[in-house]
Each structure stands twice: as structure tokens, then as C-alpha cells.
Amino acid sequence: MTADGIVPDMPPIRAPWIIDTLMDIGASEAGAMGPVPLSWTTIAHWQSCMGVDLAPWLCRLLRRLSVEFVSESQNARELDCPAPWTDITDGTNRPTVSRKVSQAFRALINSKE
């Protein structure tokens, strides 16, 4: 997208250290049919290797973020997939929806050339 000069609207990150921890562990791991969410074993092994003892709520959050990451990664393969933070059901976000539709059509046209 940045090659086209399009800068996506991104939500604010209120706790960047949580995202940093997830990226340090890895947002997903390899499965037989593609990426899968982090296993509890992987999270525990990372803690052991790093000498860190994460709080239980943080372990659950990291696992949940990994599940959401893998899910959205699969959904994002569709050209018309809206950003996960975009609420298109209420109709108040029309400019964002319009821009995303235009981007999807542009990507479709460019892929056929």
C-alpha cells in the first residue's frame, strides 16, 4: 500500500510493550497447513528461555492476540476484507469504506495487468 502512496488508518497502540512481547515470541507458529496460533507450550518455553515470568492474564492475552492475528491473516487474503478496527455496520464510516472499496478495485485491476 505504501508503494501506491496510500497510508492505512491505524488504531492507536495504548500498550506497545504487549505487542513487542508478542512479536518477540512470534505472532504465530508453523502448522501442517499454514500458520497457527501460539501454543501454550511455545509461550511457556519463551518465558523459560528469556528468564521471564509473565502474569497469567498476559499469557492469556498473548495467546488471544495470536489467535486473532492468525484469523485476520486468513481473512485478509480476500480483497474486500475490511480492516479489523473498521466498523462498517453503522454506516458512519463511509469515507473509510469508500476508500477501501476503491483500493480493492485498484488491486484487482492491477493484478490482471
Side-chain angles (χ1 to χ4, degrees):
M1 281 204 251
T2 55
D4 296 332
I6 301 169
V7 178
D9 295 330
M10 299 295 285
I13 299 176
R14 295 188 180 110
W17 64 272
I18 293 174
I19 303 301
D20 291 342
T21 303
L22 177 66
M23 292 299 123
D24 194 29
I25 298 171
S28 63
E29 53 188 71
M33 306 272 299
V36 295
L38 293 174
S39 66
W40 292 108
T41 305
T42 299
I43 295 170
H45 183 69
W46 180 86
Q47 290 181 82
S48 174
C49 287
M50 293 293 132
V52 176
D53 189 21
L54 299 176
W57 69 267
L58 184 54
C59 291
R60 285 191 302 274
L61 177 61
L62 292 170
R63 166 82 173 142
R64 176 61 187 258
L65 288 173
S66 179
V67 168
E68 294 296 327
F69 178 85
V70 171
S71 175
E72 284 301 319
S73 295
Q74 295 300 315
N75 293 340
R77 293 175 189 249
E78 300 297 325
L79 290 177
D80 62 345
C81 178
W85 60 86
T86 304
D87 186 13
I88 60 171
T89 58
D90 63 359
T92 60
N93 206 355
R94 303 266 315 145
T96 301
V97 173
S98 176
R99 187 177 71 247
K100 290 186 182 306
V101 169
S102 297
Q103 290 171 358
F105 280 121
R106 188 178 310 122
L108 181 63
I109 290 168
N110 289 340
S111 69
K112 293 191 181 211
E113 293 178 348

